[in-house]
Every structure is written in C-alpha cells, then in structure tokens.
Amino acid sequence: MITTLTPSCPPSGRGAAKVLLFGEHSVVYGQRAIAVGVDAGVTAEVGATRSARLEVPAWGIDVRPGDDHPVARAHAALLEALGLGGSAWDLRLTADVPPGAGLGSSAALAVASARALLEAAGERADDARVYDAAMAAERIFHGNPSGLDHAAAIRGGIFAFRRGEPPEVTPLRVGGPLVFVVAQVEPGASTRAMVEGVARRLSDVGTAKAPLLESFGAIVAEAIGAIAEGDAPRVGRLMDVNHGLLVSIGVSTPQLDEGCRVARSEGALGAKLTGAGGGGCVVAVAHPDDAPRITQALAHRFGLCCFMHRVAPDA
Ligand code: PMV
C-alpha cells in the first residue's frame, strides 16, 4: 500500500498594513489620497482547539467572544458578517506592525482573520466578502471608516483612493523603483479626535477652507504624475509640501517634525507624517542606497517600529 503524506498546514490568512503617502485628512473631504499596502502586516492562523479564543501576543491581546474588549466585539461582528457566527475556531495572530500608529493595524487584523476563517470553513475568501466583513469589524473601532485601510490590507500595492459608496480605488502606474522608510516616533493619537480637530481648524479659516483642501488634492495629482515617471526626488519634494500643509492644519507634533528632520538629514528625498497625526509614524522616500542608513538612524533615535518598503516599477 502506498501512503501519501500531505503536510497539514493550519488554515491561515494575511492582511497587509498600509502607509498613507499623500492626502490624509483631505481625503475625508472628498480629495484623493495615495496609499501603499506594505509587506509588513498581520498573519492569522487557525488553532487546533475550538474555544473561540483570539490572541495577538505582540499586542498583549487575548480575548473570547462576550469579553468587554473592542477586539472581542469587532471579532464577533466579523464572524457574524461572514455567516460564521456560531463557530468557535481559535485564532492566533502574528503582527509585525504596532497597533494604533496609523498603519492600518486593525484592518490588517480583520482581513487576516477573515481569510483564515473562510479557509477553515472550506469557503472561498473572495475579496468582496473579506472587504465587507472587515468593514463590519472596523465600524466597532472607527464608527465610519473610509475603507482605505481595508483596500490596502486586501490588495496591497500602491493606489489612489477617493471616499464614496463604493470608494474609488485606482492602481497607480509606477515608472521606477521607489523606496520608502516608515518609522514610528511616538504613540499614536485617536483618529477620531484628530479628524474633529481638523474640522474645527478648517471652519476657523472660513473662505480659505476650499482652496486649502484643493491644495492637498493638487499635491496628490502631482504625486500621481511623479510616481508614474518614477521621479523619486520629486515625490520627496511633494511629500515635504504635504507635510507642511498637515502642519498648517494642526496635526503634526514636535516628535513627528523631528522624525522628518532626522530622515532628511540622513539623506531622505522628502518626509512627512503619515496617518491621522498627533503622534504615530513618519514616512520618507529615499534613494535605495540611502534607505538602510535612514532606517537605522530613525530606529536608533526613536527605538520603535521601523521598516523599509520597496515599490517595484511596472513590468
Ligand atoms: O491614522 P489612520 O490610519 O487612522 O489614518 C486616518 C486617515 C484620515 O484621513 C486622517 C482619516 C480617514 O478616515 O481617512
């Protein structure tokens, strides 16, 4: 008798973290943003036991359904949306990004979980189903998510995004390699509080509100052109201007400004805060030869999560 041994891999799924390269905050007002789904993210593995436990050791999370914890509530919403409400699979998640730092960690978690659970159930993990379920989970955290983090977590790659029902997601042409360095410089702030602060700031500037928001949108349009041409130095200069606009609406901090300064002084072509601001991360674009040195300098200065991401040009 011939016995074939098949390796038994547990069902698993992956969700990419995201980095906003341009257009945070103005995207809330209908302007476009540019995001990239990065290699860093979250991997979910279904365990052998069935006690409906969800563990993310890197974030100190260990919950079960019914626990008074936002992750437990979000997971219950995810299971419900997947039609797997009664199931009790255990999930163990490995995260290589920090939570709450503007890197789309909760969307990566939800997408990874949905993919692993659908595989465990023997069902197809098609993107639309994963997106809807992950959005149901995200509403527990953010009330009214734009869907940007979920698009990045599911599809990866670099794309332009405009809010809407459904949102507009446009993959971007990339004319040459682009290397980004991402570094957390301090704990993140509440996205909701930052968005509310921006609304107040914009109402203070009266008739300058519309042209200010259009300036953010114009920078995004220029950046789409620079990315298509593979013109990294110009992408960098546009990031610097975008950061200046974000400073003007009150979402930067001394640490975020310092992160940009350190990156630029080590040779970055440009740098800005990324995400909601008030803390969290900076992103810089760099010549490939300079990126390791910039990464090292930021890791040394801030001692927090720091990684590089390379966007390959179109074939
Ligand atoms: O830091 P994050 O990933 O929560 O980014 C929020 C981006 C905002 O434009 C500030 C808000 C939004 O809903 O788009």
Side-chain angles (χ1 to χ4, degrees):
M1 190 178 82
I2 299 170
T3 313
T4 314
L5 287 177
T6 43
S8 64
C9 296
S12 64
R14 176 88 183 154
K18 73 95 194 9
V19 177
L20 267 162
L21 299 176
F22 291 94
E24 48 275 271
H25 285 292
S26 47
V27 72
V28 172
Y29 297 86
Q31 301 291 336
R32 283 182 298 179
I34 300 175
V36 60
V38 294
D39 300 332
V42 176
T43 301
E45 230 176 60
V46 175
T49 50
R50 288 196 176 204
S51 59
R53 183 174 177 194
L54 185 148
E55 270 182 288
V56 197
W59 300 348
I61 289 171
D62 185 353
V63 294
R64 286 185 172 74
D67 285 358
D68 184 19
H69 191 290
V71 171
R73 287 195 290 277
H75 191 56
L78 182 89
L79 286 167
E80 206 55 53
L82 290 172
L84 300 174
S87 64
W89 281 292
D90 286 337
L91 275 183
R92 191 176 166 86
L93 295 113
T94 314
D96 42 33
V97 286
L103 297 177
S105 56
S106 54
L109 175 101
V111 167
S113 302
R115 284 178 165 159
L117 290 163
L118 286 171
E119 189 187 334
E123 295 181 28
R124 254 172 53 82
D126 65 84
D127 287 354
R129 193 165 174 206
V130 170
Y131 180 88
D132 289 345
M135 285 291 277
E138 191 74 355
R139 279 185 203 103
I140 305 290
F141 295 111
H142 289 149
N144 182 22
S146 64
L148 189 153
D149 287 10
H150 301 75
I154 289 170
R155 65 185 308 286
I158 186 164
F159 59 92
F161 179 94
R162 196 192 294 275
R163 276 193 91 128
E165 288 295 337
E168 201 181 290
V169 176
T170 315
L172 295 186
R173 231 176 62 69
V174 182
L178 292 169
V179 181
F180 296 99
V181 178
V182 180
Q184 188 181 10
V185 301
E186 62 185 325
S190 145
T191 297
R192 193 175 293 200
M194 297 310 295
V195 169
E196 283 167 8
V198 169
R200 283 194 297 276
R201 183 69 70 114
L202 289 174
S203 75
D204 281 346
V205 299
T207 55
K209 175 177 172 176
L212 181 54
L213 288 169
E214 278 156 20
S215 300
F216 279 95
I219 294 295
V220 171
E222 292 295 330
I224 289 172
I227 291 166
E229 283 158 22
D231 187 345
R234 190 149 172 269
V235 171
R237 291 194 293 276
L238 291 164
M239 283 170 81
D240 286 343
V241 176
N242 196 162
H243 183 73
L245 289 172
L246 289 163
V247 169
S248 81
I249 57 168
V251 298
S252 195
T253 65
Q255 282 291 89
L256 289 166
D257 293 342
E258 173 66 3
C260 294
R261 190 199 63 74
V262 170
R264 290 178 195 129
S265 73
E266 291 293 332
L269 301 164
K272 60 183 276 295
L273 70 85
T274 177
C281 296
V282 294
V283 58
V285 66
H287 187 279
D289 294 344
D290 297 330
R293 191 183 61 250
I294 298 165
T295 309
Q296 234 172 19
L298 288 165
H300 179 75
R301 171 70 179 77
F302 298 103
L304 294 168
C305 171
C306 194
F307 59 88
M308 278 185 278
H309 181 77
R310 182 178 187 276
V311 177
D314 298 333

